[in-house]
Amino acid sequence: MIQRFGLLIALLASPVCSFAPQLTMFQSRTSALEMGAESEVSFSSDLDGTEVRIGIIRTRWNDEDVTRLVDGAKKALTECKVTDENIFETEVPGAFELPYAAKLLAMSGTVDAVICAGVLVKGDTMHFEYISDAVSKGIMNVGMSTNVPCIFGVLTCLTDDQVKARSTGDSNHGYDWGKTAVEMALLRGQAMGVGGKMSGMGFGMSAPLKPGLSDPMPPADEEKKKRVGF
């Protein structure tokens, strides 16, 4: 009798026990959605972008949020000594148009890095997933095919609150994008032999690399070399 009673207690308790881990998993998932607003990336304090030319392509979609992100990027560029004359900014309707515009700017040979800034927020359909995937791959492909760093500055958020948390105050991700653009532009310059020779192995060469099929189109004249943007 005692054994049967113990078995009955175990059977009654089992649904509760099996439900407990599911509740924990749900709570963990909810917490994960709220994380990530604060940047975990650190940058060198001596990034010198005096000679760096940066292009910023932003969307008009979600204009207010994107403007805050662009302002954050410009703040970082200023801290890195990038001059106003060396910052080119233009806009496109939405995030889907960013890769094409970025490729045109990269191929112009007038910038050393491109920041693509936009905001995507999950809606009721699969539109969010399709656009996010296409834009992220498109921006990456532009950088790989032109040898000009293209910074993925598109927030892909599930709620408006997540967007606000990542585009305001000290958690403005645009600031990190600006720093990243300068760092990658300098890295590209070292790899292409610009800015002096580095000893030993790694980036930096005694002479610039010869243009290849994946390099940007060379400027048509000396005046175009000095111009930033299209």
Side-chain angles (χ1 to χ4, degrees):
M1 178 66 69
I2 296 178
Q3 292 179 344
R4 292 182 179 179
F5 182 75
L7 179 61
L8 178 61
I9 295 297
L11 291 175
L12 291 175
S14 60
V16 177
C17 296
S18 62
F19 179 76
Q22 296 179 14
L23 178 60
T24 302
M25 292 174 59
F26 176 78
Q27 291 174 336
S28 299
R29 182 175 181 273
T30 302
S31 300
L33 294 178
E34 297 173 353
M35 295 173 60
E38 296 182 0
S39 173
E40 298 181 0
V41 181
S42 61
F43 297 92
S44 173
S45 59
D46 60 351
L47 286 175
D48 187 359
T50 305
E51 302 298 328
V52 170
R53 303 165 301 173
I54 302 294
I56 300 176
I57 303 178
R58 52 155 298 160
T59 65
R60 292 194 298 274
W61 190 263
N62 291 318
D63 180 71
E64 183 178 348
D65 299 321
V66 177
T67 297
R68 292 197 302 268
L69 292 166
V70 171
D71 289 342
K74 289 181 177 179
K75 178 182 178 181
L77 295 178
T78 300
E79 290 184 6
C80 293
K81 303 177 183 178
V82 180
T83 63
D84 292 338
E85 293 76 15
N86 281 342
I87 300 176
F88 171 77
E89 181 179 350
T90 190
E91 60 183 32
V92 293
F96 191 77
E97 290 74 40
L98 284 172
Y100 178 71
K103 186 165 187 176
L104 292 178
L105 183 56
M107 292 177 65
S108 72
T110 63
V111 295
D112 302 305
V114 179
I115 301 174
C116 298
V119 171
L120 293 171
V121 183
K122 172 65 177 174
D124 296 330
T125 69
M126 291 292 292
H127 182 265
F128 171 82
E129 284 80 2
Y130 288 130
I131 298 299
S132 297
D133 183 63
V135 172
S136 60
K137 290 180 179 178
I139 292 175
M140 181 188 69
N141 288 336
V142 171
M144 298 296 289
S145 64
T146 64
N147 284 341
V148 175
C150 290
I151 311 305
F152 182 71
V154 181
L155 292 182
T156 53
C157 299
L158 300 180
T159 66
D160 291 330
D161 288 339
Q162 289 182 351
V163 174
K164 185 176 181 180
R166 290 158 175 78
S167 61
T168 57
D170 294 335
S171 297
N172 189 326
H173 286 206
Y175 180 85
D176 290 347
W177 303 338
K179 292 276 189 175
T180 301
V182 174
E183 181 174 333
M184 295 306 296
L186 294 174
L187 180 67
R188 174 181 181 267
Q190 293 174 352
M192 302 296 286
V194 179
K197 180 180 178 180
M198 296 177 63
S199 59
M201 298 171 58
F203 294 123
M205 302 179 64
S206 58
L209 294 174
K210 295 181 180 180
L213 295 177
S214 61
D215 292 321
M217 294 185 300
D221 49 42
E222 193 65 27
E223 180 181 356
K224 192 171 183 180
K225 291 182 181 179
K226 300 177 181 179
R227 181 168 58 85
V228 179
F230 294 120

